[in-house]
Amino acid sequence: MPKKQLIGIVVGDKMQKTAVVKVERLKEHPKYRRRFRVHERYKAHDENKEYHVGDKVVIEETRPISKDKHWRIIQKV
Protein backbone atom coordinates (compact mmCIF):
# COMPACT_ATOMS: atom_id res chain seq x y z
CA MET A 1 0.00 0.00 0.00
CA PRO A 2 1.50 3.37 -1.01
CA LYS A 3 2.16 5.94 1.69
CA LYS A 4 0.20 9.20 1.83
CA GLN A 5 1.98 12.19 0.31
CA LEU A 6 1.01 15.85 0.71
CA ILE A 7 2.37 19.11 -0.70
CA GLY A 8 2.76 22.10 1.61
CA ILE A 9 4.82 25.12 2.60
CA VAL A 10 7.33 25.18 5.45
CA VAL A 11 6.12 27.72 8.04
CA GLY A 12 8.51 26.90 10.89
CA ASP A 13 12.07 25.57 11.08
CA LYS A 14 13.26 26.54 14.57
CA MET A 15 13.21 23.03 16.05
CA GLN A 16 16.09 20.59 15.73
CA LYS A 17 15.48 18.06 12.92
CA THR A 18 11.83 19.15 12.61
CA ALA A 19 9.98 21.52 10.29
CA VAL A 20 6.35 22.63 10.50
CA VAL A 21 4.57 22.25 7.15
CA LYS A 22 1.23 23.92 6.36
CA VAL A 23 -0.96 21.97 3.92
CA GLU A 24 -3.96 23.75 2.36
CA ARG A 25 -6.93 22.09 0.71
CA LEU A 26 -10.34 23.12 -0.62
CA LYS A 27 -13.44 21.97 1.21
CA GLU A 28 -17.04 22.32 0.10
CA HIS A 29 -19.85 23.37 2.41
CA PRO A 30 -22.39 20.51 2.46
CA LYS A 31 -25.50 22.70 2.22
CA TYR A 32 -24.41 25.88 0.43
CA ARG A 33 -21.86 24.26 -1.91
CA ARG A 34 -19.41 27.11 -1.43
CA ARG A 35 -15.76 26.04 -1.56
CA PHE A 36 -13.36 27.41 1.04
CA ARG A 37 -9.75 26.88 2.06
CA VAL A 38 -8.80 24.97 5.18
CA HIS A 39 -5.28 24.22 6.35
CA GLU A 40 -3.51 21.83 8.67
CA ARG A 41 -0.03 22.06 10.15
CA TYR A 42 2.10 18.92 10.28
CA LYS A 43 5.41 18.42 12.08
CA ALA A 44 7.75 16.69 9.65
CA HIS A 45 11.19 15.16 10.14
CA ASP A 46 14.05 17.09 8.49
CA GLU A 47 17.27 15.24 9.40
CA ASN A 48 19.84 17.66 7.93
CA LYS A 49 17.93 20.92 8.49
CA GLU A 50 18.00 21.68 4.76
CA TYR A 51 14.47 23.10 4.36
CA HIS A 52 13.60 26.63 5.50
CA VAL A 53 10.55 28.88 5.85
CA GLY A 54 8.86 29.47 2.49
CA ASP A 55 10.04 26.28 0.78
CA LYS A 56 7.37 24.23 -0.99
CA VAL A 57 7.92 20.57 -0.03
CA VAL A 58 6.45 17.08 -0.36
CA ILE A 59 5.89 15.23 2.92
CA GLU A 60 5.26 11.50 3.31
CA GLU A 61 3.58 9.57 6.10
CA THR A 62 5.93 7.38 8.12
CA ARG A 63 6.12 5.48 11.39
CA PRO A 64 5.80 7.64 14.54
CA ILE A 65 9.09 9.43 15.19
CA SER A 66 7.90 11.25 18.32
CA LYS A 67 4.66 12.10 20.12
CA ASP A 68 3.27 14.24 17.29
CA LYS A 69 5.70 13.70 14.43
CA HIS A 70 4.51 11.09 11.89
CA TRP A 71 5.67 12.68 8.62
CA ARG A 72 9.00 13.22 6.92
CA ILE A 73 10.04 15.65 4.21
CA ILE A 74 10.87 13.91 0.94
CA GLN A 75 11.86 16.70 -1.45
CA LYS A 76 11.56 20.33 -2.44
CA VAL A 77 9.08 21.11 -5.22
Side-chain angles (χ1 to χ4, degrees):
M1 188 166 127
K3 296 178 181 177
K4 269 190 220 174
Q5 287 190 351
L6 300 171
I7 297 174
I9 295 171
V10 177
V11 293
D13 63 349
K14 293 185 188 245
M15 291 175 274
Q16 295 175 13
K17 299 187 180 186
T18 304
V20 180
V21 180
K22 183 171 97 170
V23 176
E24 273 193 356
R25 66 186 178 96
L26 283 175
K27 193 174 174 181
E28 191 175 83
H29 190 282
K31 183 176 180 182
Y32 301 115
R33 298 286 185 226
R34 186 176 195 280
R35 292 163 64 99
F36 55 94
R37 282 197 176 105
V38 292
H39 69 267
E40 258 186 289
R41 290 161 56 109
Y42 296 98
K43 287 183 182 155
H45 189 64
D46 176 14
E47 183 68 41
N48 301 322
K49 204 124 168 72
E50 54 195 270
Y51 304 101
H52 303 288
V53 175
D55 291 347
K56 195 170 185 179
V57 294
V58 177
I59 58 174
E60 180 180 69
E61 201 170 30
T62 183
R63 62 179 178 78
I65 298 166
S66 70
K67 178 184 168 187
D68 51 359
K69 190 161 69 165
H70 314 276
W71 297 83
R72 66 185 173 98
I73 299 178
I74 304 262
Q75 65 183 12
K76 202 172 182 177
V77 177

